[in-house]
Amino acid sequence: MGATVAIAGASGYAGGELLRLLLAHPELGVGTVTAHSKAGDRLIAHHPQLIELADRTLEPTTAEALAGHDVVILALPHGTSAQVAAQLPDDVLVLDCGADHRLTDAAAWQRFYGTEHAGSWPYGLPELVRKDGGKQRDALPGAKRIAVPGCNVTAVTLALAPGLAAGVVAPDDIVAVLACGTSGAGKSLKPHLLASEIMGAASPYAVGGVHRHIPEIQQNLQLASGGAPVTLSFTPTLVPMSRGILATVTAKLSGDAGSVRAAWADAYADEPFVHLLPEGQWPTTAAVLGANTAHVQVTVDEAAGRVVAIAAIDNLAKGTAGAAIQSANLALGLPETLGLPTTGVAP
Ligand SMILES: NC(=O)C1=CN([C@@H]2O[C@H](COP(=O)(O)OP(=O)(O)OC[C@H]3O[C@@H](n4cnc5c(N)ncnc54)[C@H](OP(=O)(O)O)[C@@H]3O)[C@@H](O)[C@H]2O)C=CC1
Ligand SMILES: CC(=O)N[C@@H](CCC(=O)OP(=O)(O)O)C(=O)O
């Protein structure tokens, strides 16, 4: 086994998924697992799926408990992860699944999160395509700090970025609507997540330009469009499934409708985890469950003059834990795909 990985926030959903994926990784081993209110409990009491870790106990989340590992992955609430990260040595690879280090614009952070900005780290979405043809993965080899993207952000970004980079869609009128599963909201008790509220209902939330993922999506799409300002309307809807995100993104066609599909095909031709589906086949969340895979499709709505791009991901896999491990592979100089599943578990 190559490197050892400590997981902070191991009792939560992202922590559990990180551990599931690490158990199948040939070069990364599971080190200390920490929690907060559940510290002292057996890990398996909160993650019965992790039978191979049945002997592990959750430790309190302290810098001391996280010391002595090659890699630390923080699956903690916003704010907490920045506090913990600040106590970790510079030579340890730290990946933050929370939002604290994703935004480069401190004013945008202040506006959407209302706290002091902790600063920005290299952003862990390797497939994010730039206008100049480069990709975000170029920033990751050798990095010691990586900000793992928000799950909704990954879905919307992967859906539309190729069109902006190729100039076949305009950046000034982007509309993204998204269906997402309940595990995206974390494991802590919240009244709107009670089974009786969720079952049989689709419930929009953070409507009207207030979702905190808006500046992060804009940051990514602006990179793809070569710096042009991005205008985005974003509306998520909670649907009764535990995992999965389906993002439908539309933008004005700018240029030749005939060159739209090629923009996506070129951007994702060599990507191991992002797949443009055969024409006429649409992404579904079931097809990517448990996999570090994004399925994407694109078409032109000629009558509306708009491009329609759809992406499906598993919020806990490609949306968080898989993304973290993919970026860790790159940072450590391992093959990018090592240990990561690409096949979903549908139906
Ligand atoms: N769920 C998802 O799909 C995604 C999550 N993320 C991000 O990943 C991070 C973890 O999310 P998720 O696993 O869903 O959340 P959960 O609520 O499921 O888990 C949160 C974890 O953080 C611990 N924790 C809570 N408060 C504190 C504290 N004050 N100090 C130390 N540890 C604390 C909890 O410990 P305990 O249980 O012991 O109290 C638990 O282990 C968040 O930043 C989230 O935004 C990012 C993308 C997608
Ligand atoms: C269903 C649900 O509530 N989903 C969450 C996704 C959280 C996420 O992606 O994580 P970060 O908070 O780390 O950005 C939301 O939309 O806020």
Side-chain angles (χ1 to χ4, degrees):
M1 191 63 67
T4 59
V5 185
I7 303 296
S11 55
Y13 285 144
E17 185 71 352
L18 281 160
L19 291 165
R20 182 180 77 86
L21 296 175
L22 284 173
L23 285 171
H25 198 293
E27 290 294 332
L28 300 177
V30 176
T32 299
V33 289
T34 78
H36 183 57
S37 60
K38 314 291 185 334
D41 291 1
R42 278 184 174 276
L43 174 70
I44 198 171
H46 302 288
H47 292 302
Q49 75 277 22
L50 300 176
I51 192 71
E52 290 169 67
L53 299 174
D55 61 340
R56 297 300 188 93
T57 298
L58 291 160
E59 297 185 29
T61 302
T62 62
E64 293 71 32
L66 299 171
H69 296 84
D70 306 291
V71 183
V72 176
I73 306 185
L74 305 172
L76 302 171
H78 311 146
T80 306
S81 57
Q83 283 171 22
V84 173
Q87 301 171 53
L88 299 175
D90 291 343
D91 61 345
V92 171
L93 170 58
V94 181
L95 298 106
D96 182 5
C97 294
D100 296 32
H101 304 95
R102 295 177 193 154
L103 296 184
T104 53
D105 179 349
W109 173 272
Q110 177 67 38
R111 206 161 55 250
F112 281 85
Y113 291 85
T115 57
E116 201 179 328
H117 188 219
S120 72
W121 290 354
Y123 189 72
L125 184 55
E127 303 88 351
L128 171 54
V129 59
R130 296 193 306 261
K131 184 88 180 166
D132 64 9
K135 292 213 175 143
Q136 183 58 21
R137 68 166 48 77
D138 304 344
L140 301 178
K144 288 294 184 190
R145 296 289 186 271
I146 294 174
V148 180
C151 50
N152 300 327
V153 179
T154 293
V156 174
T157 303
L158 293 178
L160 196 67
L164 289 163
V168 297
V169 297
D172 64 335
D173 177 18
I174 296 167
V175 178
V177 294
L178 172 146
C180 57
T182 52
S183 64
K187 202 172 179 177
S188 62
L189 199 58
K190 299 178 186 80
H192 75 282
L193 295 179
L194 291 170
S196 38
E197 306 291 330
I198 295 293
M199 300 300 288
S203 317
Y205 64 99
V207 180
V210 297
H211 196 288
R212 64 188 187 288
H213 283 163
I214 288 172
E216 191 183 334
I217 298 170
Q218 285 174 313
Q219 179 174 294
N220 291 349
L221 296 185
Q222 201 161 336
L223 197 68
S225 69
V230 165
T231 306
L232 170 74
S233 165
F234 171 68
T235 310
T237 294
L238 197 58
V239 298
M241 59 187 183
S242 59
R243 292 179 184 229
I245 293 178
L246 187 77
T248 303
V249 189
T250 78
K252 278 187 296 190
L253 175 66
S254 80
D256 174 20
S259 54
V260 166
R261 187 171 177 84
W264 271 257
D266 290 351
Y268 294 142
D270 298 324
E271 290 297 343
F273 297 121
V274 183
H275 300 286
L276 179 64
L277 297 181
E279 276 184 86
Q281 190 170 342
W282 296 97
T284 69
T285 55
V288 295
L289 284 198
N292 190 52
T293 305
H295 285 181
V296 177
Q297 185 56 283
V298 66
T299 193
V300 179
D301 179 342
E302 301 263 11
R306 295 182 76 83
V307 170
V308 182
I310 300 187
I313 61 167
D314 179 332
N315 55 295
L316 289 175
K318 182 58 178 158
T320 314
I325 293 171
Q326 185 183 346
S327 288
N329 283 342
L330 283 162
L332 294 167
L334 297 170
E336 183 174 341
T337 55
L338 203 63
L340 288 166
T342 53
T343 308
V345 293

